[in-house]
Amino acid sequence: MTVGSDRNMELEEALELAERERHPLHQTRDFQSFAVLEQMLRVLPHGILVVSDSHGVEFANQAFCELYGLMVSPSALLGHSASDIVQMIRSRWLDPMQDQQRIRDLEARGHARRGIELVLWDGRVITLDWTPVQVSGRINCRVWHNFDITERKHLETMLREREMDFRVMLEGVPMIVLLSEGIEQTTVTVNHHLTEMLGYTAADFINAEAWWPLAYPDEAYRTQVVEEWSRRVQAAVYTQGRIDPMETRVACADGSVKDIEWGFLSVGRRNVVYGIDRTPRRDAERERARLESLTHHLERSQSLDRMAGAIAHHFNNQLHVVMLSLHIAADELPRDTDVTRLIDSARQAASNAAEVSTKLLTYLGLSHATMKSMDLADMCRRMVPILQASAPAGVLLSTSLPGEVLRVTASEAQLQQALLALLSNAWESLAEVPHEIRISVDTVDGRSIPDSHIFPRDFAPQTGRYVCVSVTDQGQGITASEIDRVFEPFYTTKFVGRGLGLPMTLGIARTHDAALHVESTPGEGSTFRLYVPAAG
């Protein structure tokens, strides 16, 4: 190795003295090893500069000169100081003042430093590893290891951009996207839609095993889903392909349930899992099915109503002929005979049958009604004394009736029948006395009318106000399944009555574009509310 300073000559003399004292074979091996090392440094594609402890250049390779565009041979740099070299190359730096100060700081600190990036004016990026070499506890020389990382920086920039593009795409698609690894499906990353759609966080989705109990709390359904999903995923991982979409009912963090369509794609060790919220579509399909069922039910009900109405009219007309004939026959015979008593019994039975027929027509909304403007609170106030007199012993009627309420356009006779039927139903539900039945009248907005347990089933509240008549008892209450049937003709859970009072009330509600709502708790009592549209 060519030396370029007095220091080098001293080192060389010391080495020669040591070599004379060593075995000739060892001298030969050291010389060969040193020559090989020097040759390696010369041909190394990275720029190498060795500076002695006296700051003089002891070695430089061709790559160093080419890296900084120095139009001299490496040997021309020998003997120059480190400061001279800095002056030669500083014009190539994009920020000479800052980079020169960084080199000075390195020299002053004296400890190794790696990965110092220097940006050149032509856009290239050079990284510098500065390493002091110690011999016998003191710095003998310093090695400047320079190499061009422009391509690497370019690739890193491209990678960051691709990662940003990927993140934008991952967060931008309107679906859950999750990256997992291996057949165990260990989560790598997941987008924010997991939280937005289902309310869970990435911590809840560590892997498939942690996810199953959260998403599918029902054990039987979870077993079914896990078996089918595992079968499809194993096939996809084996073939490096995708699965056919699989739709499941997922329990959300807030307790609600959503219909999610899941997909899976395997690429190498990585898997892509995606979930699309199909709940709106499934809700629309379920609502459409419900409406179709309701329409079918209404059409069938209307057909039966028409037939029942025709039969009731015909039956009622025939009964009137029977009653008239019996009346004429009774007038032609002497009174208080066995025959006239039989005729009177027949007339009473025909009258009862005619009453049933009339109630059926009322239930179907086919009875004649004379409408007028009236005050429901005033009607209740006038009826209560009469109703209290006819109530079973031990039943007390209490009221909450405003002095003035919105008027309604209605048949007073029919609304009196409806109130009587609701009160009869209330006191028949009492298991023991004394008990209180409360009648109240209030004005409500149509938008506040409940949409569950409302009858007729196709009732849609109008915009505006309604007058509400409520009858509340403390009886046995009604179960949810019974509520759906209480307005069916001839349906009753009692041993008394004929099961036509509440159906007749529903018919009166239909005639007045009104509605009936039932609220009940078994063992605590029930409240029946009649909502009648306010006039005007």
Side-chain angles (χ1 to χ4, degrees), residues 357-408:
S357 178
T358 301
K359 287 183 176 181
L360 278 174
L361 290 171
T362 302
Y363 164 72
L364 297 172
L366 299 175
S367 60
H368 177 70
T370 302
M371 303 290 186
K372 67 176 184 179
S373 176
M374 58 173 294
D375 184 332
L376 275 176
D378 181 63
M379 181 197 78
C380 293
R381 196 175 291 110
R382 288 185 282 107
M383 286 186 66
V384 165
I386 302 172
L387 294 171
Q388 182 65 72
S390 60
V395 175
L396 173 65
L397 300 182
S398 64
T399 61
S400 176
L401 306 174
E404 185 176 348
V405 72
L406 293 177
R407 301 180 72 83
V408 299

Side-chain angles (χ1 to χ4, degrees), residues 102-103 106 111-119 125-131 143-147 149 152-153 156:
R102 293 165 71 188
I103 299 298
L106 288 177
H111 54 75
R113 184 75 184 277
R114 298 186 180 276
I116 305 166
E117 293 186 3
L118 305 171
V119 181
V125 181
I126 306 299
T127 187
L128 168 62
D129 290 345
W130 191 87
T131 308
V143 179
W144 295 18
H145 182 195
N146 305 260
F147 49 99
I149 61 168
R152 191 185 78 186
K153 299 295 288 186
E156 289 176 352

